[in-house]
Structure formats: structure tokens, C-alpha cells
Amino acid sequence: MLNFTVGPVMCSEEVCAVGAEQVPYFRTPEFSAVMKENEQLILRFAKAPEGSKAVFMTNSSTGSMEAVVMNCFSEKDLVLVVDGGSFGHRFVELCEIHEIPHEAIRLNPGQKLTKEALYQYDGRGFTGVLVNIDETSTGVLYDSEMIGEFCRKNHAFYVCDCVSAFLADPFDMAHCGADVMITGSQKALACPPGISIIILSPRAVDRVNCKKVKSMYFNLADALKNMERGQTPFTPAVGILRQINTRLNEIDAGGGADREVARVASQAKDFREKIKGFPFEFVSESPANGVTSVHPLHADAFEIFTELKDHYGIWICPNGGDLKSKVFRVGHIGHLCPEDNTILINALKDMQVKGKI
């Protein structure tokens, strides 16, 4: 199998080897040391402000999105949500579930967020902003610095879902002023799914510690307290956390976060050059490095996904809902190289010869 989806993605041999080992008991000094190193590296790679903390949640990233909404906002807030796809809309749904007053900036699939569109909401009393920096459903990258400037001007609490952007696109948590960053194990971290990471700035730590959240599992104050000793409140996905440690050290040895971002960007550029000439068009006005969204002009996108999977052993990423037949996505994160892009392109050429594109 050759995997070009956006999660789970291809893992390195070293990460896979750790996953094949017996899972050790975790209430030990040794595991605490692994967790503390994970925190130190993830904070450095996110360029988090001094005094920030990280918690490792055993759930999908949607669980961490919900935890942040529950722990950081209340009915006294007015939150602005960037709703440009299925993941942005998920923040809208979470605000509805938890009765957080909100408004949404609704964007069409592939549409970028402009300063003019954002500043229509300037000075209107918003206390928070929720955004998926890479709207994974369409591969649109939003400008974290521009949104951060808006948040500073409006004194708004700034939450960045960087699940697909972290380690794939440039992101400086301290510089853009983000209060919270969320990511997941199965994206550019290139580990199995099951762990989501929440980075909290000092301001976010204070907010979480003052909030009386009505949840046991999603109580971030409890998670922060346990992380002081390198532990979690409940049994975590121990094996995945060990794989994350291997992967973070792999990135560190390879030159750090900026080098990894450059590698992903190069992989994306290589694919986008090689796919030119096919009867396709790109969807995103502001493409993220981690994924390319493609609209076939004369074929069904889901049928292309199925054909590649069933007859070529290649996985690309389908879309759901209204975009199911219109858009497929090709990921550039994980253990991939330009030669893998060539294998995919050759498969598409073969499909074209057979009249399936």
C-alpha cells in the first residue's frame, strides 16, 4: 500500500518498529521522562511562548477541539468561527452543542479568508476566534498572522486547530499570538491515530485553571496537573506516545520543525508540477503544503479514489458530502518522497489511457 491520504499516513520504519513492541506499564519514572521530552519538543516545534504547557489527550483531534471549547469558553463569550469546510463547521457544531454564543464566517469550498472579509467583524465584541489553520477538507491554508493581528486588536482568545498544518506549514505560535494550538498524532507527526495534543499559552493555562468544566475526561486543568509529573489522569495510548517520542526525535535529528516544513513543501511542489497536464483543476485559492485538493473535469472523484485503491494499491483521500464526486485530495505528509509521487502520477496516466479520467 502507498498512502497519500491526510491521516493516518505513512510511518517511518523506526516508528513502526516501536509500534511492534510490547506496551510497557506507564506509571513509572521512565515513562514520565518520555512524556516530559515529548512536551519539551512539541513546545519547541510549535514555537510556543515561554511558559506554555502541553497536554496529550487519548482521543481524536475532534475530542481536543471539544475539550478546548468546553474549557476555554462559556455562555458569556461571543466566538467568531471560520467555517470554510467540514472541519471549520465542526467548531460551529461544538459551539452549538455547548451553547457558546457564536457567529460564523462562511466561506465557499477552496475560498481563502481575506483581510476584508475578516475585518467586517472588527469591533463587534468578539471574545474568541476559532479557526482550522489548514481546512483539511479542501486544503485551504488560512493566514494565522493576519487572524492573530485581528485577535490582538479585538482582545480575543485565539484558538488554532493546526491538526493538518503543524509541521507541514509555517506556524509560529508565539509570533501569531495563538492562545491554543491543537494537533494530532496521525498527520505530519506520522504516527498512528489515537493521540491529540493541546498546547496552551500561559494565558490559556490561567483560563483553564479558573474554569469549572463539567467533565471528568475533558478536564484540562486535571490534565495539566498530571502533566507536571509527566503523566495523564487516565490510561493513555502508551504505545502511540512512545511512537510520538521516536518521531519527535527523528524530526529533531533531521534539522527540526523548519526543515520538516520545507520537506513537506517540496513534496507538495513536486506533486503539483507532475500533475499538470491532466484534466484536473486545483480547488484551493490558498493551498496548504500538507494536501492538494483536486477537481477532475470529466470524471467522478470518488471513482478515481476507488480505482486507485482497488487496482493500483494506492490510497488518495476522498471527500464526503457535496464534494464526494467533485474533489479528491492528495496528501504530502508522512513518510513519502518524490519517487512516490511519480508512482501515483504513472497510475493516473494509466487510468487516462484506459479512459477512466
Side-chain angles (χ1 to χ4, degrees), residues 38-355:
N38 284 351
E39 181 183 36
Q40 177 259 317
L41 288 170
I42 211 86
L43 292 175
R44 171 148 52 95
F45 292 167
K47 302 178 182 177
E50 187 175 352
S52 296
K53 304 292 182 183
V55 294
F56 295 79
M57 307 290 288
T58 297
N59 48 233
S60 73
S61 296
T62 301
S64 289
M65 291 167 69
E66 183 160 25
V68 168
V69 169
M70 293 171 67
N71 284 262
C72 295
F73 300 104
S74 74
E75 70 281 354
K76 296 178 181 178
D77 283 291
L78 178 59
V79 176
L80 184 63
V81 184
V82 181
D83 182 1
S86 59
F87 293 97
H89 191 67
R90 197 163 295 179
F91 267 137
V92 173
E93 293 174 308
L94 287 168
C95 288
E96 290 172 350
I97 290 167
H98 294 285
E99 300 180 341
I100 308 298
H102 63 281
E103 289 188 33
I105 304 176
R106 302 194 185 278
L107 303 170
N108 295 323
Q111 183 181 1
K112 68 180 180 180
L113 176 65
T114 64
K115 187 171 184 178
E116 291 73 23
L118 178 61
Y119 273 80
Q120 291 179 27
Y121 299 86
D122 185 32
R124 289 174 48 183
F126 288 99
T127 60
V129 173
L130 296 169
V131 60
N132 306 80
I133 293 298
D134 172 0
E135 174 48 68
T136 319
S137 65
T138 56
V140 175
L141 184 70
Y142 300 125
D143 188 336
S144 62
E145 300 286 336
M146 177 187 74
I147 300 170
E149 180 183 298
F150 173 88
C151 289
R152 280 190 291 271
K153 186 173 186 295
N154 287 272
H155 308 289
F157 191 84
Y158 184 19
V159 174
C160 293
D161 174 337
C162 291
V163 174
S164 295
F166 179 60
L167 297 174
D169 296 289
F171 181 78
D172 187 322
M173 186 175 174
H175 193 265
C176 77
D179 293 292
V180 176
M181 191 204 89
I182 304 167
T183 194
S185 55
Q186 80 279 18
K187 301 291 186 176
L189 269 175
C191 291
I195 293 290
S196 183
I197 303 155
I198 304 172
I199 298 179
L200 302 157
S201 71
R203 182 164 81 139
V205 170
D206 290 342
R207 179 175 288 219
V208 163
N209 283 330
C210 291
K211 183 81 158 41
K212 301 297 182 184
V213 65
K214 292 183 179 180
S215 175
M216 178 181 287
Y217 195 80
F218 291 126
N219 187 325
L220 295 185
D222 193 18
L224 284 167
K225 183 178 180 181
N226 277 270
M227 194 59 201
E228 291 176 5
R229 60 191 180 98
Q231 290 288 332
T232 57
F234 313 105
T235 303
V238 176
I240 299 171
L241 286 163
R242 294 179 69 239
Q243 288 176 291
I244 287 172
N245 185 257
T246 296
R247 174 64 175 144
L248 290 172
N249 277 287
E250 192 175 79
I251 293 167
D252 197 32
D258 291 344
R259 182 67 64 85
E260 180 65 13
V261 168
R263 188 192 68 79
V264 174
S266 178
Q267 180 75 6
K269 181 179 179 181
D270 177 78
F271 171 77
R272 290 165 188 167
E273 286 296 322
K274 287 175 178 175
I275 204 172
K276 289 179 179 178
F278 285 93
F280 301 149
E281 59 185 19
F282 298 132
V283 175
S284 173
E285 293 180 349
S286 177
N289 288 333
V291 59
T292 300
S293 290
V294 179
H295 169 54
L297 298 177
H298 311 302
D300 184 289
F302 194 80
E303 290 180 4
I304 292 174
F305 157 74
T306 302
E307 183 75 12
L308 286 169
K309 173 176 67 71
D310 292 346
H311 298 288
Y312 297 88
I314 297 172
W315 292 73
I316 57 173
C317 210
N319 267 62
D322 294 339
L323 297 179
K324 180 177 179 180
S325 298
K326 299 176 182 177
V327 174
F328 67 81
R329 294 166 291 159
V330 176
H332 312 301
I333 52 180
H335 197 64
L336 291 169
C337 64
E339 288 74 20
D340 296 321
N341 285 339
T342 300
I343 293 171
L344 172 57
I345 293 298
N346 287 339
L348 291 170
K349 286 179 180 177
D350 189 58
M351 289 174 61
Q352 191 174 31
V353 168
K354 294 175 179 177

